Amino acid sequence: MAGTLALAVAGGARVTLITATLGEQGEVIGEELQGLVADRADQLGGYRYTELRSACEALGITDHRMLGGIGAFRDSGMVGTPAAGHPRAFVRAAAGGPDHRMAVAALVGVIDEVRPDVLLTYDADGGYGHPDHVAVHQVSVVAVRVGATGDGTGSAAHWRTPRVLAVVRPRSAAREAFRDFTTPDGYLTAGAEDVGFLAVDDEVAVAVPIADARDARRAALAAHATQVELIAGGFALSNRIAQPLLDFEYYRLLAGDPPTRQPDGSPAADIFGALE
């Protein structure tokens, strides 16, 4: 969603970015910084915090918060890894987890302070199933429900935020982008189904054209050098699977006021569209 954030900033919106963990359990691209990983020096989180600050600068974001404060929650790693047993692992903030209420309260505090018109988050599957992404979704959808309790129960009289959107990629656009994408030598070829974030086309409520933010998006990705490599027309993570960068950033409505579709029935082009 980097292009969307950059366009919002350029349009005069106040953008607040909230990050749940420092990415401590991630893999590192390249040899120079391999000693930072969790099972060695365990210093990757601090290094990635500096990368995140540089990415925010590239997008023009000046209000960045760590949920609950720096170090409140830790990267849980992938499903089935020992990292999920860490006492600060963010997976504990998932629905039904021991830290769910604490995470919800922390997010509610920021929402009530900032009073955003739109909240952007992950879809229920976390994009590709990462447990921390799933937990972010579950914390977000509870935090925006006025009247809901910290464990997700209770009815919502209204939404704390007028509109909540989940970042996705419509299957047709993603498949077309992957089909037309040329994988550079040395990288792995994949299809849209292999990298996730897919949604049924009809469920896409907003499609933001990001041509004017393309350079800012690439600069933000480049800032995350321990986990992203930029390639022609796209990027690759540490798994070296090449992915195209689409010309639009897409969102599905999770809660609140639906954006008004364009006259031809296609998704709205603005995440703020039709809000009073």
Side-chain angles (χ1 to χ4, degrees):
M1 61 181 74
T4 304
L5 300 181
L7 289 173
V9 171
R14 177 186 175 188
V15 174
T16 297
L17 177 65
I18 306 171
T19 309
T21 82
L22 295 170
E24 295 93 337
Q25 295 297 142
E27 297 176 343
V28 173
I29 295 173
E31 294 300 321
E32 180 183 6
L33 301 177
Q34 289 299 322
L36 297 177
V37 297
D39 60 357
R40 297 177 70 178
D42 196 17
Q43 297 295 311
L44 182 58
Y47 191 90
R48 283 189 165 170
Y49 185 69
T50 66
E51 292 182 327
L52 181 57
R53 292 179 67 178
S54 295
C56 286
E57 183 176 355
L59 300 176
I61 296 172
T62 58
D63 185 12
H64 170 245
R65 322 279 183 99
M66 295 300 299
L67 186 66
I70 296 177
F73 299 105
R74 182 180 172 91
D75 184 353
S76 306
M78 297 304 291
V79 175
T81 60
H86 192 282
R88 288 188 290 108
F90 192 65
V91 70
R92 293 166 54 89
D99 292 339
H100 184 64
R101 289 175 179 268
M102 179 173 66
V104 168
L107 182 54
V108 166
V110 179
I111 291 173
D112 286 350
E113 174 193 343
V114 176
R115 296 188 175 277
D117 294 310
V118 179
L119 185 146
L120 306 178
T121 187
Y122 292 105
D123 212 344
D125 64 355
Y128 57 90
H130 194 296
D132 288 346
H133 296 185
V134 173
V136 164
H137 168 86
Q138 294 172 346
V139 168
S140 297
V141 296
V142 173
V144 296
R145 293 175 58 199
V146 175
T149 61
D151 59 3
T153 62
S155 61
H158 60 280
W159 300 106
R160 183 172 272 111
T161 300
R163 179 176 294 157
V164 184
L165 300 171
V167 61
V168 296
R169 290 187 286 207
R171 278 185 165 82
S172 61
R175 287 170 177 166
E176 181 179 358
F178 274 86
R179 185 177 62 247
D180 297 340
F181 180 61
T182 300
T183 301
D185 292 341
Y187 293 88
L188 301 176
T189 300
E193 290 77 7
D194 299 316
V195 297
F197 287 92
L198 296 180
V200 176
D201 287 23
D202 291 345
E203 292 183 348
V204 174
V206 184
V208 180
I210 54 83
D212 291 342
R214 186 175 289 114
D215 290 345
R217 181 174 67 175
R218 288 187 67 85
L221 283 168
H224 292 285
T226 59
Q227 56 188 316
V228 178
E229 289 182 281
L230 287 179
I231 55 180
F235 68 99
L237 304 178
S238 58
N239 57 17
R240 299 193 67 77
I241 293 176
Q243 300 187 42
L245 283 167
L246 278 62
D247 293 331
F248 291 79
E249 291 177 354
Y250 301 91
Y251 301 89
R252 187 173 78 84
L253 181 69
L254 291 180
D257 296 333
T260 301
R261 288 186 171 269
Q262 301 191 56
D264 63 358
S266 59
D270 181 5
I271 61 173
F272 302 108
L275 286 176
E276 294 183 358

mmCIF file of all heavy atoms in Angstrom, residues 45-80:
data_model
loop_
_atom_site.group_PDB
_atom_site.id
_atom_site.type_symbol
_atom_site.label_atom_id
_atom_site.label_comp_id
_atom_site.label_asym_id
_atom_site.label_seq_id
_atom_site.Cartn_x
_atom_site.Cartn_y
_atom_site.Cartn_z
ATOM 1 N N GLY A 45 16.006 -6.678 14.432
ATOM 2 C CA GLY A 45 14.889 -5.776 14.671
ATOM 3 C C GLY A 45 15.309 -4.317 14.719
ATOM 4 O O GLY A 45 14.671 -3.458 14.112
ATOM 5 N N GLY A 46 16.373 -4.028 15.438
ATOM 6 C CA GLY A 46 16.850 -2.659 15.518
ATOM 7 C C GLY A 46 17.297 -2.124 14.179
ATOM 8 O O GLY A 46 17.059 -0.955 13.842
ATOM 9 N N TYR A 47 17.958 -2.989 13.401
ATOM 10 C CA TYR A 47 18.413 -2.566 12.080
ATOM 11 C C TYR A 47 17.218 -2.278 11.173
ATOM 12 O O TYR A 47 17.195 -1.287 10.448
ATOM 13 C CB TYR A 47 19.297 -3.650 11.453
ATOM 14 C CG TYR A 47 20.013 -3.194 10.211
ATOM 15 C CD1 TYR A 47 21.276 -2.606 10.290
ATOM 16 C CD2 TYR A 47 19.437 -3.341 8.957
ATOM 17 C CE1 TYR A 47 21.931 -2.174 9.152
ATOM 18 C CE2 TYR A 47 20.086 -2.909 7.816
ATOM 19 C CZ TYR A 47 21.336 -2.332 7.916
ATOM 20 O OH TYR A 47 21.986 -1.892 6.794
ATOM 21 N N ARG A 48 16.204 -3.147 11.252
ATOM 22 C CA ARG A 48 15.032 -2.957 10.400
ATOM 23 C C ARG A 48 14.212 -1.736 10.811
ATOM 24 O O ARG A 48 13.493 -1.167 9.983
ATOM 25 C CB ARG A 48 14.167 -4.217 10.404
ATOM 26 C CG ARG A 48 14.768 -5.298 9.532
ATOM 27 C CD ARG A 48 13.858 -6.469 9.319
ATOM 28 N NE ARG A 48 14.353 -7.279 8.221
ATOM 29 C CZ ARG A 48 13.880 -8.481 7.900
ATOM 30 N NH1 ARG A 48 12.886 -9.014 8.608
ATOM 31 N NH2 ARG A 48 14.375 -9.136 6.881
ATOM 32 N N TYR A 49 14.334 -1.335 12.047
ATOM 33 C CA TYR A 49 13.653 -0.112 12.456
ATOM 34 C C TYR A 49 14.226 1.085 11.704
ATOM 35 O O TYR A 49 13.489 1.990 11.295
ATOM 36 C CB TYR A 49 13.780 0.089 13.963
ATOM 37 C CG TYR A 49 13.009 1.274 14.484
ATOM 38 C CD1 TYR A 49 11.622 1.276 14.494
ATOM 39 C CD2 TYR A 49 13.669 2.405 14.968
ATOM 40 C CE1 TYR A 49 10.899 2.365 14.966
ATOM 41 C CE2 TYR A 49 12.963 3.497 15.448
ATOM 42 C CZ TYR A 49 11.582 3.474 15.440
ATOM 43 O OH TYR A 49 10.875 4.555 15.902
ATOM 44 N N THR A 50 15.539 1.093 11.488
ATOM 45 C CA THR A 50 16.144 2.194 10.713
ATOM 46 C C THR A 50 15.709 2.118 9.255
ATOM 47 O O THR A 50 15.502 3.153 8.608
ATOM 48 C CB THR A 50 17.678 2.165 10.807
ATOM 49 O OG1 THR A 50 18.199 0.993 10.165
ATOM 50 C CG2 THR A 50 18.147 2.175 12.254
ATOM 51 N N GLU A 51 15.552 0.895 8.728
ATOM 52 C CA GLU A 51 15.053 0.758 7.361
ATOM 53 C C GLU A 51 13.629 1.300 7.253
ATOM 54 O O GLU A 51 13.271 1.979 6.284
ATOM 55 C CB GLU A 51 15.082 -0.706 6.938
ATOM 56 C CG GLU A 51 16.481 -1.283 6.767
ATOM 57 C CD GLU A 51 16.453 -2.731 6.310
ATOM 58 O OE1 GLU A 51 15.516 -3.462 6.700
ATOM 59 O OE2 GLU A 51 17.363 -3.134 5.552
ATOM 60 N N LEU A 52 12.825 0.997 8.245
ATOM 61 C CA LEU A 52 11.441 1.452 8.248
ATOM 62 C C LEU A 52 11.370 2.977 8.296
ATOM 63 O O LEU A 52 10.540 3.597 7.611
ATOM 64 C CB LEU A 52 10.699 0.839 9.432
ATOM 65 C CG LEU A 52 9.223 1.181 9.603
ATOM 66 C CD1 LEU A 52 8.427 0.807 8.361
ATOM 67 C CD2 LEU A 52 8.660 0.464 10.826
ATOM 68 N N ARG A 53 12.212 3.588 9.077
ATOM 69 C CA ARG A 53 12.233 5.054 9.142
ATOM 70 C C ARG A 53 12.601 5.641 7.789
ATOM 71 O O ARG A 53 12.039 6.662 7.364
ATOM 72 C CB ARG A 53 13.203 5.517 10.224
ATOM 73 C CG ARG A 53 12.741 5.171 11.633
ATOM 74 C CD ARG A 53 13.732 5.629 12.685
ATOM 75 N NE ARG A 53 13.815 7.076 12.774
ATOM 76 C CZ ARG A 53 14.586 7.730 13.639
ATOM 77 N NH1 ARG A 53 15.323 7.034 14.505
ATOM 78 N NH2 ARG A 53 14.607 9.032 13.671
ATOM 79 N N SER A 54 13.549 5.000 7.090
ATOM 80 C CA SER A 54 13.928 5.483 5.763
ATOM 81 C C SER A 54 12.789 5.309 4.768
ATOM 82 O O SER A 54 12.564 6.170 3.902
ATOM 83 C CB SER A 54 15.170 4.731 5.266
ATOM 84 O OG SER A 54 16.290 5.010 6.082
ATOM 85 N N ALA A 55 12.054 4.204 4.877
ATOM 86 C CA ALA A 55 10.904 3.985 4.004
ATOM 87 C C ALA A 55 9.830 5.040 4.254
ATOM 88 O O ALA A 55 9.214 5.559 3.316
ATOM 89 C CB ALA A 55 10.336 2.584 4.217
ATOM 90 N N CYS A 56 9.588 5.354 5.518
ATOM 91 C CA CYS A 56 8.616 6.398 5.846
ATOM 92 C C CYS A 56 9.038 7.736 5.241
ATOM 93 O O CYS A 56 8.196 8.476 4.706
ATOM 94 C CB CYS A 56 8.467 6.531 7.357
ATOM 95 S SG CYS A 56 7.551 5.201 8.152
ATOM 96 N N GLU A 57 10.311 8.040 5.317
ATOM 97 C CA GLU A 57 10.806 9.290 4.742
ATOM 98 C C GLU A 57 10.563 9.323 3.235
ATOM 99 O O GLU A 57 10.168 10.360 2.682
ATOM 100 C CB GLU A 57 12.300 9.438 5.044
ATOM 101 C CG GLU A 57 12.895 10.746 4.557
ATOM 102 C CD GLU A 57 14.354 10.913 4.937
ATOM 103 O OE1 GLU A 57 14.888 10.043 5.663
ATOM 104 O OE2 GLU A 57 14.966 11.911 4.508
ATOM 105 N N ALA A 58 10.772 8.182 2.567
ATOM 106 C CA ALA A 58 10.558 8.115 1.121
ATOM 107 C C ALA A 58 9.102 8.375 0.760
ATOM 108 O O ALA A 58 8.803 8.921 -0.306
ATOM 109 C CB ALA A 58 10.997 6.753 0.594
ATOM 110 N N LEU A 59 8.179 7.980 1.645
ATOM 111 C CA LEU A 59 6.757 8.150 1.380
ATOM 112 C C LEU A 59 6.204 9.466 1.915
ATOM 113 O O LEU A 59 5.047 9.795 1.652
ATOM 114 C CB LEU A 59 5.972 6.988 2.018
ATOM 115 C CG LEU A 59 6.332 5.589 1.512
ATOM 116 C CD1 LEU A 59 5.550 4.544 2.292
ATOM 117 C CD2 LEU A 59 6.076 5.460 0.021
ATOM 118 N N GLY A 60 7.012 10.183 2.677
ATOM 119 C CA GLY A 60 6.561 11.444 3.259
ATOM 120 C C GLY A 60 5.823 11.289 4.573
ATOM 121 O O GLY A 60 5.207 12.240 5.068
ATOM 122 N N ILE A 61 5.870 10.096 5.165
ATOM 123 C CA ILE A 61 5.166 9.830 6.421
ATOM 124 C C ILE A 61 5.999 10.335 7.592
ATOM 125 O O ILE A 61 7.154 9.921 7.768
ATOM 126 C CB ILE A 61 4.889 8.329 6.588
ATOM 127 C CG1 ILE A 61 3.936 7.857 5.488
ATOM 128 C CG2 ILE A 61 4.293 8.029 7.962
ATOM 129 C CD1 ILE A 61 3.751 6.360 5.454
ATOM 130 N N THR A 62 5.421 11.208 8.402
ATOM 131 C CA THR A 62 6.144 11.756 9.550
ATOM 132 C C THR A 62 5.604 11.257 10.886
ATOM 133 O O THR A 62 6.217 11.489 11.922
ATOM 134 C CB THR A 62 6.090 13.290 9.534
ATOM 135 O OG1 THR A 62 4.721 13.717 9.543
ATOM 136 C CG2 THR A 62 6.776 13.843 8.290
ATOM 137 N N ASP A 63 4.453 10.575 10.857
ATOM 138 C CA ASP A 63 3.846 10.061 12.090
ATOM 139 C C ASP A 63 3.855 8.536 12.033
ATOM 140 O O ASP A 63 2.950 7.925 11.461
ATOM 141 C CB ASP A 63 2.422 10.593 12.246
ATOM 142 C CG ASP A 63 1.796 10.175 13.573
ATOM 143 O OD1 ASP A 63 2.527 9.677 14.455
ATOM 144 O OD2 ASP A 63 0.565 10.355 13.722
ATOM 145 N N HIS A 64 4.871 7.934 12.619
ATOM 146 C CA HIS A 64 4.982 6.475 12.643
ATOM 147 C C HIS A 64 4.983 6.012 14.090
ATOM 148 O O HIS A 64 5.709 6.557 14.923
ATOM 149 C CB HIS A 64 6.261 6.000 11.948
ATOM 150 C CG HIS A 64 6.526 4.546 12.166
ATOM 151 N ND1 HIS A 64 7.628 4.077 12.862
ATOM 152 C CD2 HIS A 64 5.798 3.456 11.831
ATOM 153 C CE1 HIS A 64 7.563 2.759 12.925
ATOM 154 N NE2 HIS A 64 6.477 2.363 12.311
ATOM 155 N N ARG A 65 4.179 5.004 14.403
ATOM 156 C CA ARG A 65 4.082 4.476 15.762
ATOM 157 C C ARG A 65 4.365 2.971 15.745
ATOM 158 O O ARG A 65 3.961 2.270 14.810
ATOM 159 C CB ARG A 65 2.671 4.676 16.334
ATOM 160 C CG ARG A 65 1.975 5.988 15.975
ATOM 161 C CD ARG A 65 2.405 7.132 16.832
ATOM 162 N NE ARG A 65 1.649 8.345 16.494
ATOM 163 C CZ ARG A 65 0.593 8.788 17.171
ATOM 164 N NH1 ARG A 65 0.113 8.103 18.209
ATOM 165 N NH2 ARG A 65 -0.025 9.906 16.821
ATOM 166 N N MET A 66 5.019 2.484 16.786
ATOM 167 C CA MET A 66 5.091 1.048 17.031
ATOM 168 C C MET A 66 3.964 0.704 17.988
ATOM 169 O O MET A 66 3.815 1.343 19.038
ATOM 170 C CB MET A 66 6.443 0.658 17.633
ATOM 171 C CG MET A 66 7.645 0.885 16.711
ATOM 172 S SD MET A 66 7.592 -0.035 15.159
ATOM 173 C CE MET A 66 7.559 -1.735 15.752
ATOM 174 N N LEU A 67 3.144 -0.265 17.651
ATOM 175 C CA LEU A 67 1.980 -0.606 18.458
ATOM 176 C C LEU A 67 2.395 -0.953 19.881
ATOM 177 O O LEU A 67 3.171 -1.879 20.105
ATOM 178 C CB LEU A 67 1.241 -1.794 17.835
ATOM 179 C CG LEU A 67 -0.079 -2.182 18.491
ATOM 180 C CD1 LEU A 67 -1.105 -1.073 18.311
ATOM 181 C CD2 LEU A 67 -0.601 -3.492 17.910
ATOM 182 N N GLY A 68 1.907 -0.195 20.850
ATOM 183 C CA GLY A 68 2.259 -0.417 22.241
ATOM 184 C C GLY A 68 3.623 0.111 22.632
ATOM 185 O O GLY A 68 4.027 -0.008 23.782
ATOM 186 N N GLY A 69 4.348 0.705 21.683
ATOM 187 C CA GLY A 69 5.711 1.183 21.934
ATOM 188 C C GLY A 69 6.749 0.225 21.363
ATOM 189 O O GLY A 69 6.477 -0.962 21.143
ATOM 190 N N ILE A 70 7.947 0.717 21.119
ATOM 191 C CA ILE A 70 9.012 -0.109 20.547
ATOM 192 C C ILE A 70 9.315 -1.286 21.471
ATOM 193 O O ILE A 70 9.560 -1.102 22.666
ATOM 194 C CB ILE A 70 10.289 0.722 20.323
ATOM 195 C CG1 ILE A 70 10.034 1.819 19.284
ATOM 196 C CG2 ILE A 70 11.440 -0.158 19.852
ATOM 197 C CD1 ILE A 70 11.218 2.728 19.049
ATOM 198 N N GLY A 71 9.267 -2.480 20.913
ATOM 199 C CA GLY A 71 9.581 -3.676 21.679
ATOM 200 C C GLY A 71 8.422 -4.295 22.424
ATOM 201 O O GLY A 71 8.593 -5.329 23.077
ATOM 202 N N ALA A 72 7.227 -3.693 22.320
ATOM 203 C CA ALA A 72 6.078 -4.272 23.025
ATOM 204 C C ALA A 72 5.741 -5.650 22.485
ATOM 205 O O ALA A 72 5.381 -6.564 23.239
ATOM 206 C CB ALA A 72 4.869 -3.347 22.909
ATOM 207 N N PHE A 73 5.861 -5.809 21.165
ATOM 208 C CA PHE A 73 5.561 -7.080 20.525
ATOM 209 C C PHE A 73 6.722 -7.495 19.631
ATOM 210 O O PHE A 73 7.447 -6.654 19.107
ATOM 211 C CB PHE A 73 4.280 -6.977 19.692
ATOM 212 C CG PHE A 73 3.066 -6.622 20.493
ATOM 213 C CD1 PHE A 73 2.524 -5.346 20.430
ATOM 214 C CD2 PHE A 73 2.460 -7.562 21.314
ATOM 215 C CE1 PHE A 73 1.400 -5.009 21.172
ATOM 216 C CE2 PHE A 73 1.340 -7.239 22.056
ATOM 217 C CZ PHE A 73 0.811 -5.967 21.994
ATOM 218 N N ARG A 74 6.867 -8.814 19.470
ATOM 219 C CA ARG A 74 7.979 -9.351 18.695
ATOM 220 C C ARG A 74 7.444 -10.182 17.524
ATOM 221 O O ARG A 74 6.390 -10.810 17.613
ATOM 222 C CB ARG A 74 8.857 -10.230 19.595
ATOM 223 C CG ARG A 74 10.090 -10.802 18.904
ATOM 224 C CD ARG A 74 10.906 -11.671 19.863
ATOM 225 N NE ARG A 74 11.978 -12.366 19.159
ATOM 226 C CZ ARG A 74 13.200 -11.888 18.999
ATOM 227 N NH1 ARG A 74 13.498 -10.714 19.519
ATOM 228 N NH2 ARG A 74 14.122 -12.571 18.335
ATOM 229 N N ASP A 75 8.201 -10.164 16.445
ATOM 230 C CA ASP A 75 7.909 -10.972 15.268
ATOM 231 C C ASP A 75 7.740 -12.433 15.680
ATOM 232 O O ASP A 75 8.598 -13.008 16.345
ATOM 233 C CB ASP A 75 9.083 -10.820 14.289
ATOM 234 C CG ASP A 75 8.885 -11.530 12.971
ATOM 235 O OD1 ASP A 75 7.904 -12.276 12.811
ATOM 236 O OD2 ASP A 75 9.752 -11.340 12.099
ATOM 237 N N SER A 76 6.617 -13.045 15.262
ATOM 238 C CA SER A 76 6.323 -14.429 15.643
ATOM 239 C C SER A 76 6.947 -15.460 14.717
ATOM 240 O O SER A 76 6.873 -16.668 14.990
ATOM 241 C CB SER A 76 4.807 -14.656 15.657
ATOM 242 O OG SER A 76 4.167 -13.717 16.478
ATOM 243 N N GLY A 77 7.530 -15.017 13.606
ATOM 244 C CA GLY A 77 8.030 -15.979 12.638
ATOM 245 C C GLY A 77 6.887 -16.647 11.893
ATOM 246 O O GLY A 77 5.716 -16.328 12.077
ATOM 247 N N MET A 78 7.239 -17.602 11.066
ATOM 248 C CA MET A 78 6.225 -18.291 10.276
ATOM 249 C C MET A 78 5.545 -19.378 11.100
ATOM 250 O O MET A 78 6.015 -19.769 12.171
ATOM 251 C CB MET A 78 6.858 -18.881 9.022
ATOM 252 C CG MET A 78 7.438 -17.838 8.078
ATOM 253 S SD MET A 78 6.218 -16.591 7.562
ATOM 254 C CE MET A 78 5.143 -17.586 6.529
ATOM 255 N N VAL A 79 4.428 -19.869 10.567
ATOM 256 C CA VAL A 79 3.643 -20.892 11.261
ATOM 257 C C VAL A 79 4.503 -22.113 11.571
ATOM 258 O O VAL A 79 5.253 -22.608 10.727
ATOM 259 C CB VAL A 79 2.435 -21.310 10.404
ATOM 260 C CG1 VAL A 79 1.690 -22.465 11.056
ATOM 261 C CG2 VAL A 79 1.496 -20.130 10.201
ATOM 262 N N GLY A 80 4.425 -22.576 12.822
ATOM 263 C CA GLY A 80 5.134 -23.787 13.209
ATOM 264 C C GLY A 80 6.557 -23.592 13.675
ATOM 265 O O GLY A 80 7.227 -24.562 14.039
#
